[in-house]
Amino acid sequence: MPRFTKKQYNQQVAVVMTIYVAIMLLVWPHAHRVANIPLRAVFALMAVAPVVVLIWLMAKLVMHSDELNQRVHLMALSAATGTVAALSLIGGFLCAAGVLILGGDILIWVFPALCLCYSAAHVLFGRRYVGMGCG
């Protein structure tokens, strides 16, 4: 399998994130104003495509990594998933009990929260193996 380098990953992520930012600045503000429901759905979901590409790029980077890097990614993803799942469950119970009142649009923050937790966990777990070529 040909190597997928960190440099290639960074370049492709920069392109994808530029597209994402352009969609969020140019298309997303108009999603609420479109009268046609199918077109409104298209406008609302356009930002999902670059995020899916970003997830695919991350998976590709991990698959092309050595076993040690894969282990660090797996541990970080596991910790992040558990953290976000627990926080979501806490929030769900608090909403169900009437302690918190949150709208459904709060769900847009689940993926960014997962990414932030993953990044923090990756740094913490990666420090364990710094001298072993992981990072």
Side-chain angles (χ1 to χ4, degrees):
M1 171 172 4
R3 285 291 282 163
F4 182 60
T5 65
K6 184 77 167 165
K7 182 179 177 182
Q8 291 171 317
Y9 169 78
N10 289 338
Q11 290 170 340
Q12 292 177 13
V13 165
V15 170
V16 170
M17 291 312 294
T18 300
I19 293 168
Y20 177 79
V21 169
I23 289 170
M24 292 305 290
L25 291 175
L26 302 174
V27 178
W28 175 249
H30 304 291
H32 292 84
R33 294 183 224 142
V34 176
N36 183 330
I37 298 296
L39 187 57
R40 188 183 312 168
V42 168
F43 273 37
L45 295 176
M46 281 182 77
V48 174
V51 173
V52 170
V53 172
L54 184 65
I55 293 168
W56 174 77
L57 285 171
M58 281 189 72
K60 186 176 174 182
L61 180 68
V62 172
M63 288 187 303
H64 288 265
S65 298
D66 61 26
E67 291 84 1
L68 181 58
N69 274 313
Q70 287 178 356
R71 178 182 170 91
V72 172
H73 284 290
L74 178 63
M75 291 184 334
L77 187 57
S78 298
T81 302
T83 301
V84 172
L87 292 174
S88 298
L89 190 61
I90 291 166
F93 276 114
L94 290 174
C95 285
V99 176
L100 281 177
I101 299 171
L102 301 172
D105 55 350
I106 193 78
L107 291 173
I108 204 168
W109 292 103
V110 172
F111 184 71
L114 183 64
C115 291
L116 287 173
C117 289
Y118 168 79
S119 296
H122 189 267
V123 168
L124 291 174
F125 289 123
R127 284 185 181 168
R128 241 178 169 178
Y129 303 108
V130 168
M132 299 178 194
C134 184

